[in-house]
Amino acid sequence: MDRTILDYMLRQGYFTTAKLFAEAKGISEFSDLPVFEEIRRIKAALTQGECQDALNWCNTNRTKLGKVWSTLEFKLRMQEFVNFLSQKNDSVAAMKYEAQLRQTLNMQMGEVIRAMGLIGYPFARRQQSEFYQELTRSARCEDLANAFEDEAY
């Protein structure tokens, strides 16, 4: 019963309380505290627009993600691509992400084509594009962090 309560607290984000509870009940070594701490750290990085830790997590958990047909890695790669575009690094973005995004063409072809099409727009005009605005809206990082959390649990 204690482990169930601990797991609930961790999933709800009560990390400090969960840690104290685990220590008080003597179940720290039987808990998933390190896993939840890693997920929490990665989620915090995602809310800041940093995708690399989440991509590393995806690489480690590729089998699990593949079994559920997850699009998390694609979303992370797309966010990295958009981050490069927003810094006016069109040529770097094109070279670095073209191959990675092409791997997902079968599943997400429309998204990849639209994203690559943004390179052809001048930076000022790109910012007026509705698709680009959707990709760069501030809440997108939070959405990505929540998607990661859903996949991780």
Side-chain angles (χ1 to χ4, degrees):
M1 183 66 149
D2 290 339
R3 289 182 63 193
T4 303
I5 294 169
L6 176 65
D7 187 58
Y8 174 80
M9 284 191 276
L10 289 168
R11 289 179 190 271
Q12 295 303 313
Y14 304 119
F15 296 102
T16 305
T17 305
K19 204 172 202 176
L20 292 171
F21 180 78
E23 290 170 4
K25 295 294 185 174
I27 58 173
S28 292
E29 66 263 10
F30 304 113
S31 70
D32 291 330
L33 281 168
V35 172
F36 282 92
E37 287 175 351
E38 178 186 25
I39 291 168
R40 180 178 159 188
R41 179 184 55 77
I42 294 170
K43 185 178 177 188
L46 284 171
T47 60
Q48 300 299 311
E50 299 294 326
C51 299
Q52 191 55 53
D53 289 341
L55 285 166
N56 292 341
W57 183 90
C58 286
N59 192 39
T60 302
N61 294 281
R62 187 171 305 279
T63 304
K64 173 191 171 195
L65 295 173
K67 287 180 182 177
V68 296
W69 293 86
S70 172
T71 59
L72 179 63
E73 185 175 3
F74 171 77
K75 291 174 185 176
L76 292 166
R77 297 267 182 223
M78 182 69 82
Q79 186 62 43
E80 276 195 326
F81 178 76
V82 169
N83 290 348
F84 269 96
L85 286 180
S86 65
Q87 297 167 8
K88 300 182 185 180
N89 290 328
D90 295 353
S91 59
V92 174
M95 289 186 306
K96 184 170 182 179
Y97 295 102
E98 180 181 14
Q100 292 172 351
L101 292 175
R102 191 178 300 166
Q103 292 172 357
T104 61
L105 272 178
N106 292 337
M107 291 174 45
Q108 307 289 336
M109 186 182 315
E111 291 273 325
V112 172
I113 291 170
R114 288 172 61 187
M116 288 298 174
L118 290 173
I119 293 173
Y121 279 79
F123 188 75
R125 187 154 180 237
R126 182 184 306 153
Q127 292 176 312
Q128 296 170 358
S129 162
E130 194 174 303
F131 178 64
Y132 185 77
Q133 288 174 0
E134 171 63 24
L135 290 175
T136 58
R137 66 184 171 81
S138 58
R140 185 171 167 85
C141 289
E142 188 66 35
D143 293 346
L144 197 53
N146 290 332
F148 169 76
E149 186 177 45
D150 291 345
E151 295 288 340
Y153 294 148

